[in-house]
Amino acid sequence: MNTNVPSAPKIYQLPEEIAKTAQKYGLVIFNFGRAMVFPQGGYYRCPKWHFEFYSLSQLIKGKGKLWMPDIPERQLEPGHCIVMPPFKIHRYGAGDDIYCEDHLCFFGPVADQMSNCGIIQKGVINFGSVRRLLPIMEAASNPSVDSQFEANLRLQRLLLDLYRENRVISGNQGNMMEDLLVELKKDIRHWWTVKEMSEFCQIGEDLLRKIFLQHTGLLPKQYLDRLRMRMATTMLIEKQQSIKDIASLLGYRDRFHFSRRFRAITGLSPQNYRKRFGKREAESAHVSSELFLNESDDNDD
């Protein structure tokens, strides 16, 4: 087979109107196809490309190949699904057999957030024999607003289910992470570094970050920041300690450092938070999640 393909990647652009719709509704499914058949040998002739949107391609019949710059060439079998976020150079298609796929393209800030949290990751995952994109396509094919929202919710549920089903964390790694999380909470005053965490787990720092993100949806420093703030909100409501004492219990060098970080994450100073929520019942200690969405996370250690 001739494997000489153009070196410059081909770009599949996102239509401007689709981008506007995605910003308005958070997520939009704008292109899909059922049982699309590509002829034998197409992989060897197709160029490298990248999309300006997210795509899913489930191989339902035949065989194929996938290439990406940072991984070895991958053989594709029925039941495999290619998950591709925007701007990731790749090429795939039929090898020595036909390639018959269900495919779906989508875009929007909801998808971006799922990608940032590690729920959407590039590569190949196992869909199994069930054509799991079909119910989403069925809902998306109806232009009514209700059906479009239904399609979006089905897609989000599928992505979350796939993430859970195909997590690369083994049982031993999961137990290792749980042990680490217990240790972090038990020794909350200590300012853990990623190096210390990796030494605790006896793995490399890069692998620690990857597994931590897959296990919690957060990087280590983000997790510790939010853990401290969750504990702080409970202390401010349920306890009578001073702001200075709470800062010390959580490992901050002084009340001013604590107060700046608390405001950055919750949008309120500790004093104002206590005034606003302190007279409520204890169950109000669990602050609404939107208070934690204003945070501008620092780079991970």
Side-chain angles (χ1 to χ4, degrees):
M1 290 289 184
N2 178 16
T3 58
N4 293 324
V5 296
S7 57
K10 182 177 180 180
I11 302 172
Y12 285 82
Q13 295 181 321
L14 180 73
E16 184 177 350
E17 288 305 312
I18 297 297
K20 291 179 180 178
T21 303
Q23 291 299 321
K24 182 177 180 180
Y25 292 104
L27 184 68
V28 60
I29 299 166
F30 65 91
N31 185 22
F32 51 85
R34 304 175 181 89
M36 306 290 290
V37 179
F38 300 90
Q40 178 181 348
Y43 170 79
Y44 302 105
R45 299 185 294 271
C46 72
K48 302 171 186 175
W49 56 45
H50 74 246
F51 308 143
E52 292 185 342
F53 44 82
Y54 296 84
S55 73
L56 300 173
S57 168
Q58 181 184 6
L59 178 57
I60 58 177
K61 186 178 180 182
K63 293 186 178 181
K65 294 176 180 288
L66 168 69
W67 171 88
M68 288 185 284
D70 53 348
I71 65 171
E73 185 177 76
R74 176 73 183 266
Q75 300 292 322
L76 303 174
E77 303 284 344
H80 283 159
C81 180
I82 301 171
V83 182
M84 200 57 58
F87 307 111
K88 303 297 183 182
I89 296 175
H90 67 289
R91 65 186 177 101
Y92 73 89
D96 301 326
D97 199 344
I98 64 166
Y99 188 99
C100 181
E101 69 169 6
D102 290 334
H103 80 261
L104 184 149
C105 302
F106 58 101
F107 184 77
V110 171
D112 291 340
Q113 184 62 33
M114 297 181 83
S115 179
N116 292 338
C117 291
I119 294 173
I120 300 176
Q121 299 184 44
K122 71 173 183 178
V124 179
I125 57 177
N126 292 314
F127 259 36
S129 59
V130 177
R131 296 172 66 183
R132 300 170 76 174
L133 297 180
L134 291 182
I136 302 171
M137 296 179 189
E138 180 181 358
S141 64
N142 186 332
S144 73
V145 173
D146 285 353
S147 289
Q148 292 302 304
F149 276 114
E150 177 66 24
N152 288 350
L153 290 173
R154 288 183 181 183
L155 175 58
Q156 292 177 63
R157 171 53 61 185
L158 174 63
L159 292 169
L160 185 58
D161 287 345
L162 292 171
Y163 166 70
R164 289 169 173 166
E165 292 168 14
N166 292 274
R167 291 172 82 167
V168 300
I169 306 173
S170 68
N172 289 338
Q173 289 174 329
N175 292 336
M176 173 185 67
M177 280 292 106
E178 288 301 319
D179 290 343
L180 175 60
L181 298 184
V182 169
E183 195 68 21
L184 296 180
K185 189 172 183 180
K186 183 170 65 176
D187 194 10
I188 194 63
R189 295 185 64 179
H190 179 66
W191 287 84
W192 288 78
T193 66
V194 172
K195 181 179 179 180
E196 288 174 325
M197 295 183 203
S198 67
E199 290 173 350
F200 179 88
C201 296
Q202 298 183 341
I203 58 176
E205 293 181 32
D206 289 342
L207 182 58
L208 183 281
R209 287 188 179 91
K210 180 178 180 180
I211 296 174
F212 203 103
L213 179 62
Q214 291 169 335
H215 196 75
T216 68
L218 298 167
L219 290 169
K221 187 179 186 304
Q222 295 171 327
Y223 180 89
L224 279 172
D225 250 2
R226 298 186 187 193
L227 176 61
R228 286 191 173 96
M229 292 304 107
R230 295 286 184 181
M231 296 175 73
T233 55
T234 300
M235 291 179 182
L236 287 166
I237 292 173
E238 297 181 352
K239 309 294 182 181
Q240 298 301 314
Q241 290 115 320
S242 66
I243 305 300
K244 179 180 178 181
D245 288 342
I246 292 175
S248 177
L249 288 170
L250 294 175
Y252 290 90
R253 61 178 177 265
D254 55 51
R255 60 173 295 177
F256 304 106
H257 180 206
F258 166 67
S259 295
R260 284 194 301 270
R261 200 68 195 128
F262 190 92
R263 182 189 290 273
I265 294 178
T266 69
L268 296 170
S269 70
Q271 294 90 335
N272 287 338
Y273 186 91
R274 175 171 269 170
K275 288 177 182 178
R276 182 174 296 188
F277 299 104
K279 294 182 180 180
R280 299 188 179 187
E281 296 297 325
E283 60 263 24
S284 297
H286 299 291
V287 59
S288 177
S289 60
E290 64 256 20
L291 289 176
F292 289 84
L293 298 181
N294 296 323
E295 176 185 8
S296 177
D297 288 320
D298 297 331
N299 292 330
D300 197 44
D301 291 337

